[in-house]
């Protein structure tokens, strides 16, 4: 199988303004984008740009959207790889596959987004052979990260930062934590989701204990129910008139 077939074909373009982040996270992302837009000017002074970013924390809070927005802001192609799809029973094969993906991203000056990064960074059981193989895989990833070209970006995401080897964690110049959104951010998100629907069905009961992904599913489920109720009422009215 061609290893490139494991890349997720996702052409969705996301603007940075569409990603709801708290002020601190937003500032870090904007600084990163500014650096890469002026990479040549910074290099004249021998200043390196940050190009290895770890996004960690609660699921469904915008990590993938952030990676897409960074790529869109910089006009770069994004290569999306879910690491659960690439881990093989033979660690050597996994290392080979990862090297090919890293090489492709470097050649194309792309954004490489590795989801579920803990799949390749966590220890697996107490078997000495297994631990040794995982250590070799971690060493391979460290080398790939150390030699990753500055004009490409590596963005990794995990819901379990505590499971990742500390040697890998240290390679990330930027580490951004995602938590469940507060009421203000969720209200902004609800307003955005509801704006395209008729006003009479925009007044849903809002749940503030959800992630963005959960809030979207929750909202769309309620909206569909209300729209179908209206449609069925109209159908009954038409049948009654006949």
């Amino acid at each position: 199988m061609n290893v490139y077939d494991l890349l997720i074909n996702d052409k969705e373009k996301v603007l940075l303004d569409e990603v709801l982040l708290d002020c601190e996270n937003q500032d870090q992302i904007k600084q990163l984008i500014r650096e890469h837009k002026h990479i040549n000017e910074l290099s004249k002074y021998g200043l390196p740009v940050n190009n290895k970013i770890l996004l960690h924390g609660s699921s469904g809070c915008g990590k993938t959207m952030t990676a897409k927005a960074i790529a869109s802001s910089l006009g770069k192609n994004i290569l999306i790889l879910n690491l659960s799809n690439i881990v093989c029973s033979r660690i050597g094969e996994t290392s080979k596959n990862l090297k090919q993906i890293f090489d492709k991203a470097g050649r194309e000056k792309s954004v490489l987004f590795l989801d579920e990064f803990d799949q390749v960074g966590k220890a697996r059981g107490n078997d000495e052979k297994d631990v040794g193989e995982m250590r070799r895989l971690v060493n391979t990833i460290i080398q790939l990260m150390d030699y990753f070209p500055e004009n490409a970006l590596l963005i990794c995401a995990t819901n379990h930062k505590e499971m990742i080897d500390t040697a890998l964690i240290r390679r990330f110049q930027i580490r951004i934590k995602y938590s469940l959104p507060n009421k203000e951010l969720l209200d902004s998100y609800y307003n955005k989701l509801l704006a395209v629907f008729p006003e009479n069905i925009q007044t849903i009961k809002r749940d503030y204990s959800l992630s963005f992904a959960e809030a979207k599913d929750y909202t769309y489920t309620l909206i569909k129910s209300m729209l179908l109720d209206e449609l069925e009422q109209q159908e009954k009215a038409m049948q009654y008139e006949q």
Side-chain angles (χ1 to χ4, degrees):
M1 181 182 64
N2 189 331
V3 66
Y4 301 140
D5 292 337
L6 296 172
L7 292 168
I8 298 171
N9 185 21
D10 190 334
K11 302 298 184 182
E12 180 188 19
K13 298 293 183 182
V14 177
L15 300 177
L16 188 60
D17 291 343
E18 297 179 283
V19 185
L20 298 177
L21 301 166
D22 62 36
C23 293
E24 182 178 353
N25 288 355
Q26 190 176 75
D27 288 344
Q28 290 192 77
I29 297 299
K30 286 182 176 179
Q31 171 68 13
L32 173 73
I33 292 170
R34 289 172 65 205
E35 287 186 17
H36 280 267
K37 283 185 174 179
H38 300 283
I39 187 171
N40 292 330
E41 289 80 0
L42 293 175
S43 66
K44 292 177 183 177
Y45 292 94
L47 293 170
V49 297
N50 293 329
N51 72 333
K52 291 180 277 290
I53 305 98
L54 179 66
L55 310 179
H56 64 95
S58 301
S59 176
C61 291
K63 294 189 285 293
T64 302
M65 290 280 285
T66 299
K68 292 179 180 178
I70 291 172
S72 295
S73 297
L74 295 173
K76 289 181 176 292
N77 184 37
I78 184 168
L79 306 178
I80 302 176
L81 179 65
N82 187 318
L83 286 169
S84 63
N85 296 332
I86 202 171
V87 175
C88 307
S89 57
R90 293 184 298 169
I91 297 297
E93 191 69 22
T94 300
S95 297
K96 178 184 174 182
N97 291 342
L98 280 174
K99 186 177 186 306
Q100 290 185 55
I101 297 294
F102 270 76
D103 288 346
K104 177 179 174 64
R107 286 194 308 270
E108 299 177 359
K109 303 176 183 177
S110 302
V111 172
L112 175 56
F113 179 60
L114 303 182
D115 198 10
E116 297 192 25
F117 190 61
D118 49 277
Q119 289 289 325
V120 294
K122 65 179 181 180
R124 296 180 175 183
N126 296 317
D127 181 81
E128 289 185 7
K129 180 176 180 293
D130 186 54
V131 171
E133 289 179 344
M134 180 53 65
R135 187 179 297 115
R136 284 191 288 274
L137 176 57
V138 169
N139 288 339
T140 296
I141 299 170
I142 288 173
Q143 292 176 3
L144 292 172
M145 293 177 71
D146 285 346
Y147 291 100
F148 196 63
E150 200 172 67
N151 53 13
L153 287 94
L154 173 65
I155 304 177
C156 299
T158 179
N159 300 336
H160 307 287
K161 178 189 171 190
E162 72 282 356
M163 300 176 71
I164 297 174
D165 191 283
T166 55
L168 291 173
I169 294 291
R170 288 197 300 269
R171 262 63 189 181
F172 294 100
Q173 302 115 334
I174 299 175
R175 304 164 203 166
I176 297 179
K177 183 176 181 179
Y178 287 70
S179 303
L180 288 177
N182 58 31
K183 184 177 183 296
E184 182 181 1
L185 282 176
L186 269 176
D187 268 329
S188 297
Y189 190 59
Y190 278 124
N191 291 340
K192 176 186 171 185
L193 291 175
L194 294 168
V196 299
F197 299 107
E199 290 186 8
N200 64 308
I201 60 173
Q202 289 185 17
T203 56
I204 65 169
K205 181 180 179 182
R206 301 185 177 193
D207 190 333
Y208 294 103
S209 63
L210 307 175
S211 68
F212 290 123
E214 292 169 332
K216 184 177 182 179
D217 290 339
Y218 168 78
T219 299
Y220 284 174
T221 297
L222 290 180
I223 291 295
K224 285 185 289 186
S225 178
M226 295 168 74
L227 286 172
L228 290 171
D229 285 345
E230 284 193 359
L231 180 61
E232 289 170 353
Q233 289 175 8
Q234 292 170 7
E235 290 173 346
K236 287 181 181 178
M238 291 176 61
Q239 292 174 355
Y240 180 78
E241 290 175 0
Q242 293 174 355

